[in-house]
Amino acid sequence: MTAPSHVLSPLTSTKFRLPRFGLGGSPIGDLPDPAGDAVAMATIDAAYQAGIRYFDTAPSYGAGRSERRFGTALARRPRDEYLLSTKVGRTIDGAPDFSAEGIRRSLAESRERLGLSIDLVLLHDPGEHWQQAIEEAYPVLDEMRAQRDIGAVGAAAGDWQLLDRLVRDTELDAVLLAGQYSLLDRSATPLLDRCQARGVLAIVSGVLSKQVLQVDQSKQTTDPAIILARRISAVCERYGVSLPQAALAFPGRHSAVASVLIGAASQAEIRADAALVRQSVPGDLWRDKELLRLLD
């Protein structure tokens, strides 16, 4: 995990190359007060010490707590050493507001909570409001990008088809996909292919699912996801690779995927995940015929 290196974009002149891994801010926001602030600070510090240089948050993560905690923790770090993204379109209580004024207000409030400049601003899960997001929210961010008020513009959602529509109809720099592209679910491949064709960076989260982290070969099950996880895990073990290790490495094999977000709510958790990231995965694993059949 290395510090970000910026490259020029013909669209914005600020497009960047994201670090391979980042820290997602939802668990940071969910940590309850009053002890949560200290735990969050320690977790973010541990992530930084482990080499993570990309941090993602949102107003609705813990009703603003995530942004405040990231702002406090990262204020002590040189600003040019890391990338920071947050989201607009959802208020601190999660209510949708993709109006032009709502976007400006949300970004101003995020800046106040963070106390930091923001590299990437993401439209947060437009859902059924996707038309308003394109017609009202996106133009505001596009104008801010052109004026260098923000670095880059993207969208975040757990629906790959929604993101695909936004990539097709706007000039995004990045998308953040929650789920739908992992060892156990590759349904978002068409989105990633479109991102690759249009030069849009893809960020993937949710790869360390319950099925990946809690593989138990001894219990009987009819759950297809658990059965698939067990079969993939058995192949990985032949190469000395754990299933979580493979799950973290897999998304980056698609050339559109620039970064994988890891969610963590403790020092121990982020250190364990960072240790998995540092372990190399043998190339022979990805060429294994049984694995290829399972991933087909």
Side-chain angles (χ1 to χ4, degrees), residues 48 53 74-82:
Y48 205 95
R53 294 295 183 270
L74 294 174
R76 300 173 299 167
R77 307 293 183 178
R79 185 61 189 86
D80 61 352
E81 286 189 0
Y82 62 88

Side-chain angles (χ1 to χ4, degrees), residues 14-44:
T14 57
K15 195 168 185 177
F16 45 80
R17 186 175 294 118
L18 285 158
R20 283 196 311 126
F21 292 90
L23 179 65
S26 180
I28 294 294
D30 289 341
L31 290 166
D33 289 326
D37 286 347
V39 175
M41 183 79 68
T43 302
I44 297 167

Side-chain angles (χ1 to χ4, degrees), residues 235-242 245 279-280 282:
V235 177
C236 291
E237 287 175 4
R238 296 204 296 266
Y239 294 86
V241 175
S242 69
Q245 181 186 351
Q279 297 174 25
S280 61

Side-chain angles (χ1 to χ4, degrees), residues 268-281:
E269 190 176 1
I270 192 58
R271 284 171 179 162
D273 290 339
L276 290 176
V277 167
R278 286 192 289 268
Q279 297 174 25
S280 61
V281 176

Side-chain angles (χ1 to χ4, degrees), residues 15-22 54 120 122 153-156 160 163 167 172-179 181 188-205 251-261:
K15 195 168 185 177
F16 45 80
R17 186 175 294 118
L18 285 158
R20 283 196 311 126
F21 292 90
Y54 171 42
L120 171 63
L122 300 153
V153 176
W160 75 262
L163 292 178
V167 170
L172 298 182
D173 296 297
V175 295
L176 197 170
L177 175 66
Y181 192 74
T189 300
L191 164 66
L192 298 183
D193 292 344
R194 189 185 295 274
C195 285
Q196 182 179 3
R198 289 183 61 84
V200 176
L201 302 179
I203 306 159
V204 175
S205 68
R253 294 186 57 75
H254 194 295
S255 56
V257 176
S259 189
V260 176
L261 282 183

Side-chain angles (χ1 to χ4, degrees), residues 14-228:
T14 57
K15 195 168 185 177
F16 45 80
R17 186 175 294 118
L18 285 158
R20 283 196 311 126
F21 292 90
L23 179 65
S26 180
I28 294 294
D30 289 341
L31 290 166
D33 289 326
D37 286 347
V39 175
M41 183 79 68
T43 302
I44 297 167
D45 284 347
Y48 205 95
Q49 292 161 8
I52 288 177
R53 294 295 183 270
Y54 171 42
F55 303 91
D56 173 73
T57 183
S60 60
Y61 294 168
R65 287 195 300 264
S66 178
E67 286 186 322
R68 287 191 290 99
R69 288 165 173 172
F70 271 113
T72 300
L74 294 174
R76 300 173 299 167
R77 307 293 183 178
R79 185 61 189 86
D80 61 352
E81 286 189 0
Y82 62 88
L83 293 175
L84 176 65
S85 62
T86 194
K87 305 176 183 72
V88 293
R90 298 277 168 179
T91 64
I92 61 171
D93 60 3
D97 186 352
F98 290 89
S99 66
E101 181 56 34
I103 295 303
R104 293 188 182 94
R105 181 171 55 250
S106 176
L107 190 55
E109 291 171 354
S110 287
R111 283 172 165 160
E112 183 175 352
R113 284 188 291 268
L114 285 163
L116 300 166
S117 61
I118 302 166
D119 298 293
L120 171 63
V121 179
L122 300 153
L123 294 166
H124 195 181
D125 193 16
E128 62 185 17
H129 306 279
W130 67 270
Q131 192 69 43
Q132 186 183 30
I134 290 176
E135 295 177 353
E136 297 186 40
Y138 171 75
V140 172
L141 298 181
D142 186 38
E143 180 181 1
M144 290 181 174
R145 175 175 58 185
Q147 295 174 349
R148 309 293 177 87
D149 192 33
I150 58 176
V153 176
D159 180 348
W160 75 262
Q161 292 174 313
L162 169 63
L163 292 178
D164 191 55
R165 184 184 296 126
L166 293 170
V167 170
R168 182 192 66 199
D169 294 342
T170 65
E171 296 288 352
L172 298 182
D173 296 297
V175 295
L176 197 170
L177 175 66
Q180 298 189 314
Y181 192 74
S182 67
L183 273 174
L184 306 184
D185 179 3
R186 292 155 304 286
S187 54
T189 300
L191 164 66
L192 298 183
D193 292 344
R194 189 185 295 274
C195 285
Q196 182 179 3
R198 289 183 61 84
V200 176
L201 302 179
I203 306 159
V204 175
S205 68
V207 301
L208 293 179
S209 64
K210 179 176 65 175
Q211 293 89 346
V212 167
L213 293 174
Q214 299 177 5
V215 174
D216 185 346
Q217 303 284 10
S218 64
K219 294 182 179 180
Q220 291 187 345
T221 182
T222 58
D223 186 329
I226 295 176
I227 292 171
L228 178 60

